[in-house]
Amino acid sequence: MTSVVWGPRSSTKRDSFWLLPPVLIGDPVRVRAFDRIPDRGWIDPARGVPLTVANFRDRAEATFVLPSPPPAAVAVDIDLRLEVDSVRGSGLRLRQLFTVGATGSLMPSRYVRRDVTVTVAPNAGVTIADRPPVELVGRHPLLTATTNEIRVDAEFLDVTELWWELRARHRTSPPARPRGDWYVHPALGGRPERLRILAATTPGKGPMLWMTWASREAVAPAQKIQPLIFLIAPAWLNGGLGFKQQLSASGLTAAAAGGAPLLAVGRFLLSSVPSARLDAVRKAAPRLSEQELWQLATDVLRATVPGMPGMAKGALWPEKLLETAAGGGATARAVLPLLSDIGHRPAGHEAAADDSGKPLLLVYPVGVDPSEPYVSVQQAGLAERMSSLVGTLFGAGAVASAATAAPVADELILAGHSSGNIAMWASLSNNGADIVKCVAFDAAAEAVPESHTTEIGTGVARRKGRPVTLVLVTSPNSFGSQKTLTDRMTTVGAAMRANPAAKLVMLPARQDQAEFWDPTKVRPTTAPTKNPLLRSMLAGWSDAEVTGAARQRGWGFLFFHEFAAYGGQSPTRTFFREALDL
């Protein structure tokens, strides 16, 4: 008897609700026998002689017995079909042809991967339609076969189709402002056809949802794909999104219906829009609010703040915003969304990844647990989990779509913004052997690198002399004085000395920090400046307004902390893009 089991590669437990009834429906495994080695026609599920398969969905297992004498080959068809709130879709689908030895041993011969057409419905969602599947030689990357057992790596399930269908049926945000749908509007220049949403089946606290986006080179027939895991501040904090995800199938419905995770991740994927194009965007996307338009704009715009009479038209944010709040002219409820919509400008990750020419897979775990948002990212074994993730996307037709063999996951890049850096340092400590680069975007006070030197030193040492680069994108929000910066570089550099091939880089360069972050240095516009992007963003404001606002409080957190995530040392090259080449 041969068993077919499905579950996470990183654990022997197969008790995830994703892998069992009532979420898992139908017969996950079917087996067909052939008396001769078949031609390409074996991929047709109607070909061959069906064998009796006992599907035990309640324990994530199926069994079958080969007839006697054994056939020349068997095809094993696996389809983990899911049902969430009456919406159905396939989370993992593969077919593997085995030749059968004289003793009944199974030897992988050929396999099938999905080939799909992705269609984007403007301001609505994405549909995925199957094309004829692709036959490849060898063993499917998510499958291993031993004596009497076939194991299916179901560490991640592709729930993209479920997400968009649930979004369409259960949208809870008002039609006037559909959170998250802005990402799929063509006027904003995103590439949502390369976005996939995965559900993790790993036991524990999560994250449950992982959003991924493949660069142009990763979609091409790449032999290696490099995962870049980006840890944003947990979604319940980031921008006041107020999203707390349940680790359950209904948690997927809540996430899709409310749209908050895609609103948070979409902000990092999209690029900002020059103010000259805003009118065109306003006409093309009439459901976008004025605050969302401000968020998308490359410039700091002059606008009247709804519901905040103390913010008169022409008041330069952020100091006037703080004055209004401090003077009782605005409630916290009014201020927090404004900070999100104006401060959280698009970070341009899609454009940077494509421009790099590298086969990058951008990975955004949706960390929402207040105390432990990124448990499975921090734990040892991240490289193996990313190998499973790449295999899942390859099998789903999302990466290396024209490749003749399955790609492998290259060495990892870790990045974090704000409090997301706490988990990044922990992950580096446990997974340093497989991490070639870490990028810290303006670590929050509790996540500054000098407070995590033990984790940094441990992770860097795990490279055992192989190169590793640590990039610190630093703004005044994370340091009190220029001496703090000097001490930071000294302290962190000392922690990395165990690996002579380790490199420490600060962006902007240490000697440029003071001038770069001083708003008064961008005026007058005829003078040289180290921060041309900030100068262009403030183009609509007079010299007096800029220099007057620069003396006010609030720039560090309300402006520069986010500038570190979306900004750069030139208007056309972000810190994120610069870090990809280091």
Side-chain angles (χ1 to χ4, degrees):
M1 184 173 67
T2 300
S3 297
V4 181
V5 298
W6 53 92
R9 169 174 167 171
S10 63
S11 174
T12 57
K13 293 184 178 181
R14 306 196 305 273
D15 57 358
S16 168
F17 57 85
W18 291 110
L19 304 173
L20 305 171
V23 177
L24 184 69
I25 60 173
D27 291 330
V29 179
R30 297 180 182 181
V31 182
R32 298 171 282 128
F34 298 87
D35 57 6
R36 292 183 296 179
I37 305 297
D39 57 18
R40 191 179 185 280
W42 75 272
I43 66 177
D44 181 350
R47 295 282 296 273
V49 177
L51 299 184
T52 300
V53 178
N55 279 281
F56 303 102
R57 289 186 293 128
D58 57 344
R59 63 178 195 238
E61 181 179 4
T63 60
F64 67 92
V65 176
L66 291 174
S68 183
V74 293
V76 178
D77 305 325
I78 297 167
D79 189 359
L80 302 186
R81 288 193 57 77
L82 312 173
E83 180 175 325
V84 178
D85 288 347
S86 301
V87 174
R88 295 184 176 186
S90 180
L92 188 153
R93 185 189 308 168
L94 66 88
R95 294 175 194 160
Q96 177 73 53
L97 182 70
F98 295 92
T99 57
V100 182
T103 61
S105 58
L106 301 180
M107 294 163 286
S109 173
R110 285 169 279 167
Y111 67 94
V112 165
R113 57 163 289 180
R114 292 184 73 183
D115 193 19
V116 298
T117 299
V118 182
T119 304
V120 180
N123 213 24
V126 168
T127 58
I128 300 175
D130 281 297
R131 295 199 295 243
V134 177
E135 182 191 43
L136 298 171
V137 175
R139 175 181 57 82
H140 194 287
L142 296 181
L143 185 147
T144 55
T146 58
T147 303
N148 299 327
E149 183 178 85
I150 299 170
R151 180 171 288 274
V152 181
D153 179 359
E155 181 102 11
F156 293 95
L157 302 179
D158 184 356
V159 296
T160 309
E161 294 169 271
L162 281 173
W163 169 280
W164 289 114
E165 184 65 24
L166 288 166
R167 176 76 179 143
R169 292 194 188 186
H170 300 284
R171 181 185 284 121
T172 57
S173 55
R177 192 174 181 201
R179 303 173 89 188
D181 290 351
W182 62 309
Y183 172 67
V184 297
H185 201 290
L188 304 184
R191 301 300 302 269
E193 70 275 10
R194 299 194 217 156
L195 177 80
R196 291 298 177 94
I197 301 166
L198 305 183
T201 67
T202 313
K205 293 187 176 181
M208 180 178 77
L209 294 182
W210 298 60
M211 294 192 171
T212 70
W213 188 89
S215 73
R216 185 186 301 111
E217 294 301 316
V219 174
Q223 293 181 330
K224 286 187 176 181
I225 290 177
Q226 186 164 43
L228 188 160
I229 303 100
F230 195 99
L231 307 177
I232 65 176
W236 65 281
L237 284 172
N238 196 32
L241 294 175
F243 168 65
K244 295 185 179 181
Q245 174 185 291
Q246 298 175 334
L247 295 180
S248 64
S250 59
L252 177 63
T253 302
L262 190 53
L263 182 65
V265 172
R267 168 259 172 136
F268 285 92
L269 291 172
L270 290 173
S271 296
S272 58
V273 179
S275 57
R277 283 186 51 208
L278 281 182
D279 282 342
V281 172
R282 188 179 283 109
K283 293 175 183 177
R287 290 196 292 175
L288 288 176
S289 71
E290 284 301 304
Q291 288 187 8
E292 286 170 315
L293 287 169
W294 299 342
Q295 178 184 4
L296 292 167
T298 304
D299 305 13
V300 177
L301 301 177
R302 292 179 179 272
T304 301
V305 180
M308 296 178 64
M311 273 287 277
K313 185 174 183 178
L316 178 56
W317 183 87
E319 102 289 357
K320 289 296 183 183
L321 172 64
L322 285 173
E323 284 181 14
T324 303
T331 64
R333 181 170 295 188
V335 172
L336 282 174
L338 186 64
L339 303 189
S340 170
D341 292 335
I342 297 182
H344 291 184
R345 296 173 186 272
H349 287 187
E350 288 186 356
D354 273 353
D355 183 67
S356 74
K358 303 175 189 295
L360 292 172
L361 180 65
L362 307 183
V363 181
Y364 303 88
V366 181
V368 294
D369 186 288
S371 59
E372 297 178 291
Y374 295 116
V375 172
S376 60
V377 179
Q378 297 174 207
Q379 292 171 338
L382 183 60
E384 289 76 15
R385 283 190 283 279
M386 289 302 97
S387 180
S388 296
L389 187 145
V390 169
T392 300
L393 292 173
F394 175 70
V399 297
S401 58
T404 57
V408 298
D410 205 348
E411 292 186 306
L412 309 180
I413 300 174
L414 277 185
H417 177 235
S418 190
S419 62
N421 285 286
I422 298 173
M424 187 185 75
W425 301 132
S427 184
L428 173 63
S429 178
N430 293 323
N431 297 283
D434 302 302
I435 295 170
V436 70
K437 187 183 300 182
C438 268
V439 188
F441 290 89
D442 209 41
E446 66 275 18
V448 290
E450 59 267 34
S451 298
H452 294 268
T453 52
T454 299
E455 293 156 297
I456 292 171
T458 300
V460 167
R462 290 186 190 277
R463 293 290 289 172
K464 298 186 182 300
R466 290 174 293 151
V468 57
T469 301
L470 174 56
V471 183
L472 306 179
V473 181
T474 306
S475 93
N477 181 66
S478 69
F479 63 86
S481 66
Q482 293 299 308
K483 183 179 183 301
T484 305
L485 279 186
T486 301
D487 293 345
R488 174 175 298 170
M489 293 294 284
T490 301
T491 302
V492 176
M496 299 172 65
R497 285 177 186 159
N499 184 347
K503 181 170 65 172
L504 177 62
V505 179
M506 179 173 283
L507 295 178
R510 171 66 190 87
Q511 64 271 19
D512 296 334
Q513 285 277 334
E515 183 175 341
F516 184 88
W517 296 110
D518 185 351
T520 65
K521 299 297 185 181
V522 303
R523 298 301 174 91
T525 57
T526 55
T529 179
K530 292 187 180 297
N531 197 336
L533 176 59
L534 181 60
R535 170 176 285 176
S536 68
M537 290 177 65
L538 298 177
W541 305 86
S542 70
D543 289 355
E545 288 171 321
V546 172
T547 55
R551 291 190 291 268
Q552 304 298 321
R553 60 195 177 97
W555 285 84
F557 177 66
L558 297 182
F559 200 111
F560 290 146
H561 182 54
E562 298 301 332
F563 188 100
Y566 66 75
Q569 300 189 79
S570 83
T572 59
R573 188 174 173 85
T574 63
F575 291 125
F576 181 81
R577 174 67 186 88
E578 192 173 351
L580 294 179
D581 287 344
L582 293 174

